[in-house]
Amino acid sequence: MTTESYLPVPPGVGMEENFLSLDDILLSQEKLPTRTECVFPRLGFVEKTSDTRDIPEGTKMEMPLWLSKGLYDNKRRLVSVEQPKIYRQGWRTVFSADPNVVDLHKMGPYYYGLGSQLLHFDSPENPEIAQTVLQTYIGRFRRIMDCSQNAYNEDTSALVERLDVLERCLFHTGQIGLNDFQRWEKGQASQITASNLVQNYRKRKFPDLEA
Amino acid sequence: MDPSEVEFLAEKEMVTIVPNFSLDKIYLIGGDLGPFNPGLPVAVPVWLAINLKQRQKCRIIPPEWMDVEKLEEIREQERKEETFTPIPNPYYMELTKLLLNHASDNIPKADEIRTLVKDTWDTRIAKLRLSADSFVSQQEAHARLDNLTLMEINTIGTFLTDSLNHMYKLRTNLQPGKETGKSQDF
């Protein structure tokens, strides 16, 4: 049984975000290409490429997700958000052809999370984006399950590097299940070992005596 | 659930032993364990059998399904069928491990039995994974699996429920727009 010193808050998959989840906070840092629909007076210093005092209408900028979500309004007065490349038609075709070949970590490590958050910004392509994200997940599920349940005591970095953050969580869960079972089968489950928490304090002198 | 917890539950199963000591009937909370006479077989729970064996006070008789031919038959049937075949004991994996670790001298052809049980286990786990994959890829709402044991469910359980949770949330993306009251509880 693994006991952690805290209970991590899981990310909210789908259109909701968990306020306290570290994964979601990192997700909201992802940049989206946006276009301003009105003037932002005296904020020229934010936009480093131009030297004007204001940000004029129609500037294309990259904003993090948290800012875009805050500024976006249904009547579209302030900003309009374009979809990043990987959610557009070209890449959507690639994903529907074979989801397994894509390196999702390189395509932004938060493919599923960002895809779900994009649905907040109304766009006519939203249903297709949602459908593609779902189908990609389903297509890659088999590979993740097989890898995580069969790689015992090996270096899994080659398997994990093409996975998105959500898939890595799943992979990790699968590995825990496998490792627990193998430990039990070998008989190590009943051995008493020092807990992680106590080892972190580094006050144990007994192992030093033995070494 | 932990595999050790599943093993704990498995230790309640009854097995026959032949003690070499004598003792009157003992009255435990779970039930009575009947008088022990040297040389006469008696049925006891596995936890007691293992303990007595470790103290060299008994000889364990293997359960009737722990036999090479029977296990070979079960393995062949498992390989032929696409669904899960009923197995003789719902805790076959745990009992095999416990009895073969502590009482292998009382069980004939212990190594072969170990291999046969492992083969059956591998086949069943493979079927379980296939079924989980088709569950996800066809986006079914529920599935029915008969004749699964607790240990098998436990190995794949957390992974499967997590991935199905994710899939469900990604599916709710397809129906946009009902902003229900946001609440979070941990």
Side-chain angles (χ1 to χ4, degrees):
Chain A
M1 280 183 268
T2 51
T3 47
E4 306 266 350
S5 50
Y6 70 103
L7 181 66
V9 175
V13 184
M15 286 181 69
E16 310 244 326
E17 279 184 345
N18 272 345
F19 185 74
L20 295 174
S21 156
L22 290 177
D23 273 332
D24 274 345
I25 295 174
L26 289 175
L27 160 67
S28 61
Q29 189 53 28
E30 290 283 316
K31 299 264 196 322
L32 293 177
T34 58
R35 187 177 165 280
T36 57
E37 296 287 344
C38 74
V39 184
F40 289 179
R42 297 210 293 256
L43 283 178
F45 62 93
V46 173
E47 179 69 12
K48 293 199 175 55
T49 53
S50 64
D51 281 325
T52 57
R53 210 173 71 125
D54 321 325
I55 302 181
E57 192 176 325
T59 324
K60 289 196 190 257
M61 299 171 45
E62 295 230 320
M63 280 191 196
L65 175 70
W66 52 270
L67 191 55
S68 327
K69 260 176 88 170
L71 289 177
Y72 184 80
D73 184 33
N74 232 341
K75 306 174 194 76
R76 282 191 228 134
R77 286 182 299 123
L78 294 172
V79 293
S80 69
V81 176
E82 293 160 8
Q83 291 136 10
K85 281 197 321 244
I86 47 169
Y87 301 98
R88 286 200 208 142
Q89 185 58 39
W91 274 99
R92 288 211 297 267
T93 337
V94 173
F95 282 120
S96 57
D98 184 2
N100 273 315
V101 297
V102 188
D103 184 349
L104 272 191
H105 189 73
K106 210 173 55 156
M107 300 287 138
Y110 291 97
Y111 175 73
Y112 298 106
L114 193 57
S116 311
Q117 293 303 317
L118 272 184
L119 304 175
H120 278 294
F121 309 114
D122 303 319
S123 140
E125 295 182 40
N126 271 355
E128 279 113 32
I129 296 179
Q131 186 68 14
T132 311
V133 167
L134 180 62
Q135 292 300 329
T136 315
Y137 179 74
I138 291 175
R140 291 170 72 101
F141 171 74
R142 179 76 205 245
R143 180 73 74 84
I144 303 170
M145 177 168 72
D146 287 342
C147 289
S148 72
Q149 296 275 319
N150 285 322
Y152 178 60
N153 243 351
E154 294 165 7
D155 182 18
T156 54
S157 53
L159 300 164
V160 168
E161 65 179 342
R162 297 165 72 87
L163 299 180
D164 159 284
V165 161
L166 179 79
E167 294 170 341
R168 281 187 189 179
C169 261
L170 267 186
F171 185 87
H172 186 60
T173 316
Q175 284 275 315
I176 290 176
L178 178 70
N179 287 341
D180 276 352
F181 177 72
Q182 293 294 344
R183 266 193 77 219
W184 170 78
E185 217 182 355
K186 283 195 281 194
Q188 281 174 2
S190 45
Q191 276 178 350
I192 302 178
T193 51
S195 138
N196 290 354
L197 303 175
V198 175
Q199 278 180 346
N200 285 342
Y201 295 152
R202 274 178 259 176
K203 281 189 179 174
R204 309 200 82 221
K205 301 196 177 68
F206 193 59
D208 295 335
L209 281 179
E210 282 190 55
Chain B
M1 218 188 194
D2 232 23
S4 328
E5 292 169 358
V6 180
E7 185 186 45
F8 182 73
L9 290 174
E11 286 176 344
K12 273 183 72 170
E13 296 284 309
M14 302 296 269
V15 76
T16 321
I17 60 164
V18 175
N20 58 19
F21 59 99
S22 66
L23 188 60
D24 284 335
K25 200 166 178 190
I26 50 175
Y27 302 96
L28 303 178
I29 294 178
D32 303 338
L33 291 178
F36 296 86
N37 292 313
L40 293 184
V42 62
V44 295
V46 169
W47 55 269
L48 185 59
I50 301 282
N51 187 283
L52 290 175
K53 177 74 187 174
Q54 283 172 330
R55 294 191 280 165
Q56 294 169 334
K57 285 182 184 272
C58 75
R59 174 171 73 92
I60 297 189
I61 298 182
E64 52 159 27
W65 53 268
M66 204 175 265
D67 164 60
V68 175
E69 281 113 30
K70 197 113 200 291
L71 287 175
E72 267 177 2
E73 213 181 281
I74 291 175
R75 181 183 66 168
E76 290 314 312
Q77 204 188 1
E78 196 70 56
R79 282 182 180 168
K80 269 188 335 196
E81 301 276 327
E82 276 192 13
T83 54
F84 295 93
T85 57
I87 33 157
N89 191 298
Y91 291 107
Y92 71 100
M93 197 64 189
E94 300 85 314
L95 288 182
T96 317
K97 177 194 167 227
L98 283 169
L99 294 179
L100 289 179
N101 281 348
H102 295 150
S104 56
D105 47 339
N106 294 147
I107 300 177
K109 300 201 202 156
D111 285 333
E112 278 188 39
I113 290 184
R114 210 188 281 259
T115 340
L116 285 170
V117 169
K118 188 89 177 55
D119 285 343
T120 317
W121 165 269
D122 286 338
T123 318
R124 289 172 71 95
I125 289 284
K127 280 191 211 173
L128 185 56
R129 294 213 196 122
L130 197 63
S131 150
D133 181 48
S134 65
F135 190 178
V136 169
S137 58
Q138 290 162 21
Q139 299 181 56
E140 301 283 332
H142 41 268
R144 177 182 163 156
L145 295 169
D146 291 333
N147 301 324
L148 268 184
T149 63
L150 183 57
M151 194 52 140
E152 289 152 1
I153 298 174
N154 183 49
T155 334
I156 203 175
T158 330
F159 178 81
L160 190 62
T161 44
D162 273 352
S163 57
L164 289 174
N165 277 343
H166 289 320
M167 189 175 85
Y168 169 72
K169 285 186 181 161
L170 288 178
R171 268 167 79 170
T172 53
N173 281 347
L174 295 174
Q175 291 111 25
K178 267 188 288 190
E179 298 277 306
T180 53
K182 299 193 185 190
S183 65
Q184 296 177 349
D185 41 58
F186 300 111

